[in-house]
Amino acid sequence: MNYTTSDIAIAAYLMLKGFKLLSATREASGRFKFDFDDSNNEAKGYAVEYISSEFCRFDTHLKNLKKLLY
């Protein structure tokens, strides 16, 4: 089974947690698409874990800093 996300931060977190990235593409709409091997059906749980993690707060601060510069 695969897990797919368009969120680059969640994709990076899953990679940090050891999930194997199967493909990374950019759709015609401009959205990202990341496919992971999720043989144990655990990726969704880690995606939820990410939302309440320090990594998510860090990513939010990065986005806010970019907005200040652009």
Side-chain angles (χ1 to χ4, degrees):
M1 176 179 244
N2 292 351
Y3 179 81
T4 302
T5 183
S6 62
D7 189 305
I8 195 168
I10 289 176
Y13 189 72
L14 291 176
M15 291 178 73
L16 181 72
K17 291 296 186 176
F19 284 82
K20 181 180 178 183
L21 180 65
L22 300 174
S23 68
T25 58
R26 192 168 192 163
E27 303 291 300
S29 65
R31 289 179 59 112
F32 299 122
K33 182 179 176 186
F34 302 97
D35 287 311
F36 289 89
D37 176 24
D38 189 19
S39 303
N40 297 326
N41 202 28
E42 297 175 330
K44 187 173 183 179
Y46 280 110
V48 171
E49 178 182 289
Y50 166 77
I51 299 299
S52 60
S53 73
E54 291 290 312
F55 296 104
C56 185
R57 290 183 54 210
F58 176 78
D59 184 58
T60 300
H61 289 303
L62 272 177
K63 289 176 183 173
N64 289 335
L65 287 169
K66 286 181 180 178
K67 287 178 187 175
L68 287 173
L69 296 173
Y70 295 103

